[in-house]
Amino acid sequence: VWMQFSGAWGRERHLRNRTLEQGIQSVGSRRGHSSHNHNPVVILRREHTDEVQGEALGIALVYSGNFLIQAEVDTYDKTRILAGIHPDGFRWKLEPGEQFQSPEAVMAWTDQGLNRLSQTFHGLFGRRLARGYWRDRPRPILNNNWEATMFDFDEESLVKIAGKAKECGVELFVLDDGWFGARRNDKAGLGDWVANPELLPNGIAGLSKRIRGLGMEMGLWFEPEMVNKDSNLYRAHPDWILEVPGRTGCHGRNQFVLDFSRKEVVDAVYDMMCHVLDDADLSYIKWDMNRSITDCWSHALPADRQKETAHRYILGVYDLYERLLQRYPRILFESCASGGGRFDPGMLYYAPQAWCSDDSDAVERLSIQYGTSYAYPLSSIGAHVSEVPNQQVYRNVPLHTRANVACFGTHGYELDLNSLAPEELEQVREQIRFMKDNRRLLQFGTFYRLSSPFEGNVTAWMVVSEDQTEAIVGWYRTLSHVNQPTSRIRLQGLHPDRQYTVMTEGRHPYRTHAPWGDELMHMGLITSDGLSGQVETRDKYYGDFDSRLYLLRAVTPAA
């Protein structure tokens, strides 16, 4: 069986299964980036392999550009896998004595089920591919202003949002799009990485000083690969964009793609970014990329090298990342491409976490994060609590469920906490306290998928500490039903000869006795209470979009 992770903007990395047949099948991208549509990871599994048993082989391409992963089954039922740069539109001219280095592919094999395969990828990507200061450190809890304000902000409104976030325990305030040049909408300003003095009279340095005065770190949004034609950069260098001479150019989100295959373009963007970063005390950069590449033609390359442009572009992106990392080794980089459009192993080498999807609805995120987990560690998954009704699907999801999904990732808030009621603010404070107490386990523990959103109404997953003394289970129900039978979730990864206390996220005892690990793994954890599955210890009962966290602590030593 061929497993791929496909979708589109806002519904990235959904699991798709196909039976391998004689002939060729493949996934790939020719969009100039790995894309929202198909991820450069494929898994082959035996027909009866599941999460806990059976043989599986994973193939991941460590690359962020155009790619192809292809399986060909011959007439003797032998399968051949091909993974690399997509051949369509690609050519590389080598002069005598020159060399070309192709992207690397990583393969992992197991005979112990898909969870074990994923854990192998998690260890490899999280502890070997990712690198630098933040690789093994729990990630700061942040508040991003984008969904709270979009372009409608000034310095005082930002400080007000940050002040409330600090009261709730947030550690990092992130200023998103709109702070630079003539950027009052998405039609102008990209490419001019200079603070707008009308919005920020003291610049980024002045704002960061005020944010730090609140006792918080500060982060900043850039989209370094893009430019608006209404910008000083474009007016000075109209030939710095990718475009085909004599043809009307294509734009997306009113922006054009800078030609990162040219060193002088990368140098200019690097200099502008360094001027901001040298002047301000920043600890985080969100690097966005909000459109695919079209008109992939460079003014700097001769005709017989134009098919090198797309690959040279990605090398330029990697070069800018590398130079910034060398200069600012303590800054945490989060990659983003309209959400999950460049969530790939190649990008993890430079940015240890990525914005998982622009779709921040908790119910949608169950499928997105579940699919992502097949290859990528939880420490790489950017996940935030956003407002309701959700801006992407207009769904109203309870605050506790939004947080219970986001905590299985880097965790943050994508809203103005000043807009919440007092009782909601207290929930947020408790969510942040819980995350601070448990984030090392949540982000770096051994992860297990338990129940798939692609197969039913209930999603469940869990993390277990290396010594098997602690575990956290996430349980999520999409729709409520009346008078249901007793439901259980069989847990994984516990020590069979230890007893565990089981608590809900509100630190209420869930069972009066401490079950043994083998009981929880073979009989399961009971997840139903009452006629419609409510938790008896809550002050409020929820129906649709409910969720629960279970905290397990070992109370007896291993036999």
Side-chain angles (χ1 to χ4, degrees), residues 135-178:
R135 185 191 70 180
D136 302 319
R137 284 178 164 82
R139 307 300 158 73
I141 297 169
L142 66 82
N143 189 184
N144 184 298
N145 76 296
W146 176 247
E147 291 197 13
T149 67
M150 295 196 172
F151 294 111
D152 185 17
F153 63 83
D154 58 19
E155 183 172 310
E156 296 305 319
S157 64
L158 294 174
V159 172
K160 182 180 178 182
I161 293 172
K164 181 59 69 175
K166 172 60 180 176
E167 290 178 18
C168 292
V170 172
E171 300 160 314
L172 169 67
F173 177 76
V174 179
L175 173 55
D176 210 280
D177 193 359

Side-chain angles (χ1 to χ4, degrees), residues 203-275:
I204 296 299
L207 176 62
S208 68
K209 184 176 181 180
R210 294 185 68 180
I211 298 300
R212 287 189 174 274
L214 296 172
M216 305 175 72
E217 303 287 319
M218 181 174 163
L220 195 61
W221 180 96
F222 286 91
E223 192 172 6
E225 303 160 62
M226 302 292 161
V227 67
N228 292 121
K229 287 192 172 181
D230 185 2
S231 68
N232 293 331
L233 181 66
Y234 179 80
R235 285 185 282 268
H237 302 284
D239 65 325
W240 278 11
I241 65 171
L242 295 173
E243 63 177 351
V244 181
R247 296 185 182 179
T248 301
C250 298
H251 62 81
R253 205 192 180 210
N254 302 300
Q255 64 194 52
F256 295 81
V257 183
L258 287 170
D259 185 358
F260 264 43
S261 73
R262 299 172 64 172
K263 185 177 184 301
E264 65 269 29
V265 177
V266 177
D267 288 347
V269 174
Y270 172 76
D271 289 342
M272 284 189 285
M273 293 179 71
C274 288
H275 184 76

Side-chain angles (χ1 to χ4, degrees), residues 115-130 135-136 375-379 444-447:
N115 271 320
R116 179 59 63 89
L117 184 73
S118 295
Q119 290 157 14
T120 300
F121 274 129
H122 293 179
L124 176 67
F125 290 163
R127 300 187 184 96
R128 292 294 178 265
L129 183 62
R135 185 191 70 180
D136 302 319
Y376 302 101
L378 298 195
S379 60
F444 300 104
T446 304
F447 181 75

Side-chain angles (χ1 to χ4, degrees), residues 9-12 14 147 355-370 382-399 401-406 414 461 476-478 544-545:
W9 175 86
R11 50 179 176 85
E12 299 90 341
H14 281 211
E147 291 197 13
W355 184 225
C356 191
S357 175
D358 276 346
D359 189 343
S360 58
D361 172 69
V363 175
E364 293 292 315
R365 274 298 190 101
L366 290 172
S367 297
I368 296 168
Q369 292 177 211
Y370 198 94
H384 295 169
V385 177
S386 61
E387 67 179 4
V388 292
N390 176 263
Q391 291 188 11
Q392 289 79 46
V393 298
Y394 311 108
R395 183 182 281 126
N396 287 287
V397 175
L399 180 57
T401 292
R402 285 176 271 158
N404 289 348
V405 175
E414 198 85 14
W461 49 45
Y476 313 89
R477 182 186 60 219
T478 303
D544 295 345
F545 320 132

